[in-house]
Structures are given as structure tokens and as C-alpha cells.
Amino acid sequence: MQKQRNILSVILFIFYVSVYGQGNNHAQDYTKFPGLALTPPMGWNSWNKFACNVDERLIREIADAMVTSGMRDAGYSYINIDDCWHGERDSLGFIHPDPQRFPSGMKALADYVHSKGLKLGLYSDAGSMTCGGRPGSRGYEFQDALSYASWGVDYLKYDWCNTEGLKAEGAYKTMAAALKKAGRPIVLSICEWGTDTPWQWAASVGHLWRTTGDIFNCFDCIEDHGSWKSWGVMQILDKQEGLRKYAGPGHWNDPDMLEIGNGKLTPGEDRAHFSMWAMIAAPLIAGNDLRNMTGETISVLTNHDVIRVNQDSLGIQGFKYSVKDSVETWFKPLKGGDWAVCFLNRGKQEARVNFDWDGERVTDDLSGAQLDVSRQEYKLKNLWTGKISGSTRRRLNTIVPSHDILMFRMSAK
Ligand code: GLA
């Protein structure tokens, strides 16, 4: 008995020393809030369309439009205010929203967004100032996290401007700890543009991490801003090479927000952009004005079947299987033995796809999934026409227009 008590005392002593040993009886937990973003987050963000022109009226109207357009029912939930919502810090260091643009305050706005069955996201920066020159969170992380939690914020995009001298991993861990301490489940969206390979350290810290610099509203081009570049849809896609193994439920590669409906992409390019973001299990964060959408934009953003591929509960990021002339073939293993397949025509001319299912050996080394059409026939549903187009018994022989995509769900018959 005495011996057992001694052992217990030793165990308790070791526990005490390891937890409180550094004189810190408020040990921090540097990990993200668990159980969030188990499928890629879906929502809207103000930056791509509105940049710094944000105010509470816009955000309310966008929340309304997310409901009336059918986007909420299609699965979108986050309404994220990007840069420039900030006012100043008060004498105690607490941040406040810009009183002109957000006169009712963030709590009232969060309440409104929540009343619509949606969630509110905010933006801050790990440095002294945001990219738009507003107050950053450096030195105020715990205080800011407390404010966000008290306002009812559900998502934080945390940027990386003006961070000279900081190390990304430590800076993001500090904010993760601050959010944890604040106690509210808040998704942490890491936005350091892939500079410090976040996929290698961020799975326990944040729920998603940007893999690249900013998207540029163009299908296949690069915008040179002098000291930095922004990237077209295809350029961003190419930069995802080698990253799929880091993604999974609760921790996603983020190839940046969508440009669908922002007036530069053709309908085919919109389809290709949306399909590919679905294939690579990317967050689907719309970046357009939801109050004024064409029927075409709505039909792309709310394509139920494509969203289902993106939101598949296995959370396996798809992979490029082959490249033939201008056509890339991508596969994504899905729950229950289904697959999604895309034929992406990146060329300036239409291209013929001639795919003999039987002659191909599609194996996913990462998940172990294997597509064996000799043992199993799959029916093919064209996810952009909604029609069943045959099965893997017959070779697929068809045309894909320039800058467009064919996307199928393959289901076991
Ligand atoms: C950076 C981010 C963008 C956006 C702007 C805001 O460029 O990568 O997504 O948040 O800052 O200033």
C-alpha cells in the first residue's frame, strides 16, 4: 500500500513539474481548436471583389444574398470580412472596428449573420500592421482573440504582412494558443502564402493554410506587381504539386479564394476553376458580389454534385493522373468506392479526349485506392450536365472545348 502511494506521489510530482515547472501555471496550448473544418470550409470573403471597401451594410446584404441565392443551402456558411474593417486600439489596447463603417459594432453584425444561419469571419495579421496598413495583432494576440470570441466570430484569416523578424510557425502558434484560451471554436486560416512551408508544421496549428501568393482574376496568366506577383487559376493549380499528402479532415491546403463571377473568366473557365478546386479539396470561398450574380454564376457556385466531391468526408485531395497534349486527367477517390474524374483542357483549341478505362491503371499511392474497371463497372455521371453518360464499359471519346473541363462522378454499378 505504502509502495503504491509512493509511486503515485512520484507520478503526481512528475506531472506537476512538467506542467508548472517553468514557473508558468497558465501553460498554453499551441494547437488549433479541434473538430472544426472536417470538410473544406465553404463561404465568402470580401477581398477579391471589394478589397478595402467593406462596411456593415455590405456584409448584411451579402449574408442576405447567400441565403436567397441558395448558396447557404448548398453548403456555404462563412461570411468573412477581409482587410480594412479595423478602427483603432483603445487606451487598453483593445481593437475596435472602424466606427464609420461598422457603427453597430462587430457583435451586432455577428448576431445578424448568425440569425441567418451563417457564421462570421474576420481578418488580422501576425505583424505590426495588416497588408492594408490597419493595426496588426503582433503583441496583442491574446487580447484580440478575446475580442473576436466575445463578438461571436467563428473564423479568423491571419495574414503575414509586416512580420519582419518573426518566424511563421511561432507567430501562428501564438495566435492558435490565444484562440484556444479565448475558448470559442474559431477556424484558424493561416495566410503566409506558403513562404515557410506551412504544410510541414501547420496541421496542428491551423485548419487551412494558403499554399501560394494571391490569386489573380485570370485563367492562365501572371500579374507582376514589381516586388510580388499574383497568379492565375492555372498557375495556382500548378503550385499545388506535391502538397496533397498534407491535406485531410481539419487541415487543408488553401489555393486561395474563388474568382468565379468576377467578370473575367468565361463560363468554361468558371466550371474548370470550380471543378479543380473541388478536386483538390480546396476551401470553397466565393469572392464575388453575391448580390448581383448571373444565373450562370449561381449555377456554378451551387452545383450540388461538384460540391459533394469537394466535401467528400474522406477528405482526400485529388491528383493529376496524366497529361496528354493540352488535357490533364485528374482523379479523386471518394467515400464508398466512388471516384471523381476530370479532363481539363488548358489549351487554346478544343481537344479530343479518348480515354480507354480498361487500358488505364489508376492507383492512388497515398490512399491505396485502386480503380479496376475489369472487376467493377462504374457508371459515369457528367457533373456539369447532370446526365448519366454511359459507363466504364465503353471508352470515353469526346471533345472538351478550350479552357473548359469535363467532370464525372464514377459510381459502382
Ligand atoms: C494579402 C492576402 C490577401 C488579402 C490581402 C488583404 O495579400 O494574401 O488574401 O487578405 O492581403 O490586404
Side-chain angles (χ1 to χ4, degrees):
M1 194 59 184
Q2 182 58 38
K3 197 172 164 204
Q4 279 173 338
R5 258 197 226 128
N6 285 345
I7 291 173
L8 190 65
S9 307
V10 169
I11 291 173
L12 281 175
F13 179 73
I14 291 171
F15 176 75
Y16 183 85
V17 167
S18 60
V19 174
Y20 302 112
Q22 290 150 22
N24 177 6
N25 60 1
H26 298 285
Q28 303 302 344
D29 173 358
Y30 294 96
T31 61
K32 67 187 179 187
F33 213 96
L36 301 177
L38 297 180
T39 60
M42 292 176 66
W44 173 89
N45 174 294
S46 52
W47 184 254
N48 282 357
K49 172 73 185 175
F50 297 98
C52 265
N53 299 316
V54 287
D55 59 33
E56 63 182 36
R57 185 165 154 207
L58 170 74
I59 301 306
R60 288 202 165 124
E61 289 177 1
I62 292 286
D64 295 346
M66 188 170 266
V67 177
T68 54
S69 64
M71 284 178 68
R72 181 190 65 186
D73 292 345
Y76 294 82
S77 61
Y78 293 102
I79 302 279
N80 295 345
I81 313 175
D82 207 278
D83 208 346
C84 306
W85 59 267
H86 319 69
E88 288 175 2
R89 293 190 183 280
D90 62 24
S91 59
L92 296 175
F94 287 102
I95 187 74
H96 296 276
D98 181 325
Q100 256 84 53
R101 294 164 176 227
F102 296 89
S104 316
M106 275 305 166
K107 171 84 173 66
L109 191 53
D111 288 348
Y112 184 80
V113 169
H114 293 154
S115 77
K116 297 264 150 184
L118 299 167
K119 296 183 163 149
L120 185 71
L122 281 187
Y123 161 101
S124 188
D125 188 289
S128 51
M129 279 188 306
T130 70
C131 300
R134 305 306 196 272
S137 289
R138 183 174 185 182
Y140 296 91
E141 293 88 349
F142 283 73
Q143 221 173 340
D144 285 355
L146 267 185
S147 296
Y148 306 153
S150 73
W151 294 337
V153 167
D154 306 291
Y155 186 112
L156 176 68
K157 173 174 166 182
Y158 202 44
D159 213 343
W160 191 240
C161 279
N162 306 301
T163 52
E164 290 70 23
L166 289 185
K167 290 253 192 302
E169 183 174 353
Y172 284 94
K173 278 186 170 162
T174 301
M175 188 42 98
L179 292 171
K180 205 56 167 305
K181 200 81 175 178
R184 185 176 168 86
I186 295 180
V187 169
L188 177 55
S189 157
I190 294 175
C191 179
E192 57 80 87
W193 318 308
T195 315
D196 225 350
T197 59
W199 42 88
Q200 284 178 341
W201 50 261
S204 64
V205 183
H207 303 88
L208 58 157
W209 50 81
R210 280 274 296 279
T211 53
T212 68
D214 290 1
I215 196 165
F216 180 58
N217 187 11
C218 169
F219 192 69
D220 193 3
C221 39
I222 297 171
E223 177 77 346
D224 196 340
H225 304 266
S227 59
W228 60 288
K229 293 189 173 86
S230 51
W231 311 94
V233 174
M234 288 298 104
Q235 282 68 28
I236 295 243
L237 182 63
D238 289 340
K239 289 175 180 291
Q240 310 309 309
E241 190 89 43
L243 299 185
R244 67 184 293 255
K245 64 172 181 247
Y246 299 104
H251 50 99
W252 308 101
N253 289 312
D254 175 6
D256 207 1
M257 305 167 291
L258 299 166
E259 289 287 9
I260 292 158
N262 276 338
K264 288 275 164 58
L265 306 182
T266 65
E269 291 172 342
D270 277 347
R271 283 192 290 272
H273 182 11
F274 200 63
S275 305
M276 287 315 305
W277 263 232
M279 289 298 276
I280 61 175
L284 298 179
I285 308 290
N288 59 314
D289 187 349
L290 306 188
R291 301 167 306 175
N292 296 302
M293 289 192 278
T294 63
E296 182 263 324
T297 297
I298 296 181
S299 71
V300 172
L301 288 175
T302 61
N303 185 314
H304 171 78
D305 286 324
V306 177
I307 291 173
R308 224 177 121 214
V309 168
N310 172 264
Q311 294 288 300
D312 186 82
S313 61
L314 292 183
I316 300 172
Q317 183 169 330
F319 58 95
K320 197 195 296 175
Y321 168 70
S322 63
V323 183
K324 193 160 173 282
D325 303 325
S326 65
V327 177
E328 293 181 2
T329 302
W330 289 70
F331 281 92
K332 181 181 199 285
L334 303 173
K335 184 128 201 287
D338 284 10
W339 291 75
V341 58
C342 276
F343 300 93
L344 168 68
N345 180 7
R346 298 176 60 150
K348 293 214 164 81
Q349 258 84 51
E350 65 176 29
R352 177 162 293 280
V353 169
N354 196 338
F355 200 79
D356 179 11
W357 305 99
D358 216 15
E360 308 285 341
R361 286 287 162 262
V362 181
T363 306
D364 175 13
D365 293 339
L366 186 63
S367 67
Q370 253 181 335
L371 182 70
D372 186 351
V373 298
S374 63
R375 276 193 307 168
Q376 172 74 63
E377 180 183 1
Y378 294 83
K379 74 173 192 268
L380 301 174
K381 181 175 183 189
N382 181 324
L383 303 190
W384 288 110
T385 64
K387 299 213 172 86
I388 302 294
S389 357
S391 81
T392 47
R393 279 278 147 79
R394 256 190 318 134
R395 128 199 324 262
L396 181 75
N397 189 356
T398 187
I399 296 285
V400 192
S402 155
H403 286 193
D404 205 337
I405 199 161
L406 273 179
M407 183 173 189
F408 298 97
R409 186 180 186 105
M410 311 177 63
S411 310
K413 270 193 125 176

